[in-house]
Amino acid sequence: MKLGIGIGWRPEIADAVEALPGIDWVEAVAENICTGHLPDSLVRLRARGVTVVPHGVSLGLGGAERPDTGRLADLAARAELLGTPLVTEHIAFVRAGGPRTASPGLEAGHLLPVPRTWDALDVLCENVRIAQDSLPVPLALENIAALISWPDEELTEGQFLAELVERTGVRLLIDVANLHTNHVNRGEDPATALDELPVEAIAYVHVAGGVEKDGVWHDTHAHPVTEPVLDVLAELRSRVDPPGVLLERDDDFPSAEELAGELITIRATLAPGRVSKVPSGRGRTTLLPKHALGADASVHAGNSVSRSGRSPGPSLESVRDRAAVDQTALLSALVEGTPAPQGFDHRRLGIQSRALAAKRAGVVAKVAPELPEILGAGYRGAFLAYARTRPMSAGYRRDALDFAEALLIAGEPADDAARRRLTHWWQDRAAARPPRRSTRLIRAARAALAGR
């Protein structure tokens, strides 16, 4: 399946995307598409023969729980609506807690890495098979960018992806910007990852911009594509001619001319003959020899051994239970300020925690633009203070309502006119009036009991 050159479709740049020359296909965030009504821009693109691929962000296939049937049904419905040749998602977890850990559910609002271990791979593979059985078209999964690493990992990224493909037959969406991010943040060699993964399984490739701050690479999708990312793309191109390559941009959108210029640069990078300048042999490379890979392989104390002939491993349910505990501990540290799990880099956890809160503030401002308008310059500080003690338990729209409610309960904002506007905004979307004192006391009592 040849896709060609594409760009991420976003409502903010819909007109520019339609006008860009040489666009063969677009990718749209699946959760932002209503199954009952396609945006007019996507309707026009499809009428021109432009392929639209839905890109999911909320399944959490790397999570301890099996995929939610409702989310899978929604993704399947979007695939049917768009007549797409495939759908894509991520190798990540996005929520934790719940019945398996007897704790409140937590939402990350972001893609978080799974440990590259055999146990995590077992869980991921079953979740992928469930998703594949529920979708009307093939599934491709994306490698993610990460600020943090799990302790005691057993496989490199390339080995993990190769084993996933071997067991499930899933396709790969390789994000070269994420390979560069993991090179800077985790010392992983992009060339080694490309050597180890099955390039023939690549469905398409993502290219995106980011920025480095204090030695940490932030995969922002809000900056121009950098030369090191293009070098990783050239390194991939030296191994395989990818079926499709797509430019992603999610914020701080540039002019149509700048987008067109980035697409021209991507096309030039894909032309035969470009020499890759990716540095090799830096940082961690191979954790497990390739010959040890296989569905029955395992690693103990750094030595590769086969599971065949050994005592049966733990049941998948017990593996899921342990994964649930570990993922909940990590996410709780990131969004609730609980102690960092053993083996994690405390400084990196702090950076990730602040990045998650900042992303929440930015997304809430987009889904509820009235809030920064009402609160003015005080919006960001107020939201970040709220986020330090109030993790997200549902989607961003619920988060916006909960934030407004928290402000009103605290008697904020201090300006009477702003508080009246915020009250009216909340009333229109949540209830007849903000909670009375009795309601607040009941909620406080329930929270205290839940914390015992």
Side-chain angles (χ1 to χ4, degrees), residues 268-329:
T269 303
L270 293 169
R274 170 163 172 150
V275 178
S276 166
K277 294 179 285 186
V278 172
S280 297
R282 294 175 55 186
R284 183 176 63 187
T285 54
T286 302
L287 293 181
L288 176 66
K290 286 185 184 180
H291 62 74
L293 285 174
D296 63 348
S298 183
V299 172
H300 296 275
N303 297 314
S304 61
V305 296
S306 171
R307 278 183 179 159
S308 59
R310 298 177 61 89
S311 300
S315 70
L316 190 55
E317 284 308 306
S318 65
V319 171
R320 285 185 181 275
D321 288 341
R322 287 201 306 273
V325 171
D326 292 343
Q327 291 178 358
T328 301

Side-chain angles (χ1 to χ4, degrees), residues 127-145:
N127 289 348
V128 169
R129 293 187 197 104
I130 292 169
Q132 289 171 316
D133 290 343
S134 303
L135 296 170
V137 293
L139 172 67
L141 295 181
E142 179 179 353
N143 59 304
I144 72 163

Side-chain angles (χ1 to χ4, degrees), residues 194-271:
L194 293 172
D195 282 341
E196 293 174 337
L197 65 83
V199 293
E200 69 278 1
I202 294 176
Y204 63 88
V205 174
H206 272 174
V207 182
V211 64
E212 186 171 348
K213 295 180 181 178
D214 301 323
V216 173
W217 187 268
H218 297 268
D219 180 47
T220 63
H221 293 195
H223 293 81
V225 177
T226 62
E227 193 68 22
V229 170
L230 293 171
D231 287 339
V232 180
L233 178 61
E235 185 76 15
L236 184 149
R237 177 63 180 86
S238 71
R239 291 161 170 78
V240 67
D241 183 10
V245 177
L246 181 127
L247 172 65
E248 283 190 296
R249 188 78 178 224
D250 292 315
D251 209 348
D252 290 340
F253 297 101
S255 66
E257 290 74 20
E258 288 183 63
L259 290 173
E262 289 203 292
L263 289 168
I264 290 171
T265 301
I266 288 171
R267 288 188 182 94
T269 303
L270 293 169

